[in-house]
Amino acid sequence: MESEKGIRLGDLQLRIMRVLWDSDAATVSEVQQRLDGRQPLAYTTVATMLRKMEDRGLVDHLEDGRKFLYRAKVSMHEVTRSMTGDLIDRLFQGSLADAVSHLLESREISREELDRLDQMIRERKSQR
């Protein structure tokens, strides 16, 4: 698995992982059918990507007769944590405050979301 450098996924890889996280295991055909996106991808494209992801330790497979059933080896939490950390490190020099400030300034945020963020900050402060 990619522990030293962290887990970084491209758009297609992330879309494939979402399909696998939503199911226990899936064949190449099932992954291909469940992929979201504007244009359908060829079976061979999906199969090639799954093999590459397996080489990286992100997925593995079980054999079911002549079919391979692929499943995620890394959790959504691991990927989210790694990719978010990488983004904050690369774009904001590791500053969580700068990242949050940027998001608050550049995105619409509802009162409910602000209240939720405020609650999370209060909870985190009480743990320190």
Side-chain angles (χ1 to χ4, degrees), residues 4-121:
E4 290 176 24
K5 294 190 308 183
I7 302 167
R8 291 173 65 181
L9 302 178
D11 181 57
L12 177 56
Q13 294 168 332
L14 188 55
R15 289 170 45 213
I16 288 172
M17 290 303 291
R18 285 185 180 127
V19 170
L20 296 177
W21 290 325
D22 287 343
S23 57
D24 290 331
T27 65
V28 175
S29 291
E30 291 168 338
V31 171
Q32 179 191 25
Q33 291 169 7
R34 294 179 193 161
L35 281 175
D36 62 342
R38 292 176 285 288
Q39 57 190 30
L41 294 172
Y43 177 94
T44 54
T45 301
V46 177
T48 298
M49 186 57 69
L50 281 163
R51 278 194 309 277
K52 288 179 179 182
M53 292 169 72
E54 187 168 24
D55 290 344
R56 290 177 58 194
L58 300 169
V59 302
D60 65 5
H61 75 270
L62 305 167
E63 293 185 37
D64 182 24
R66 295 180 57 198
K67 293 187 267 185
F68 282 6
L69 292 171
Y70 287 90
R71 60 186 181 181
K73 282 185 66 177
V74 294
S75 70
M76 183 167 47
H77 177 74
E78 290 173 285
V79 170
T80 302
R81 183 180 197 117
S82 179
M83 290 182 69
T84 303
D86 179 62
L87 179 75
I88 291 169
D89 290 343
R90 290 185 321 138
L91 292 179
F92 302 99
Q93 292 77 43
S95 172
L96 182 58
D98 288 349
V100 171
S101 174
H102 172 75
L103 291 172
L104 290 171
E105 291 171 3
S106 64
R107 296 208 165 222
E108 290 294 321
I109 186 164
S110 69
R111 182 71 187 164
E112 292 78 24
E113 287 178 301
L114 285 170
D115 290 343
R116 186 170 165 222
L117 289 170
D118 187 47
Q119 179 63 34
M120 286 189 281
I121 290 168

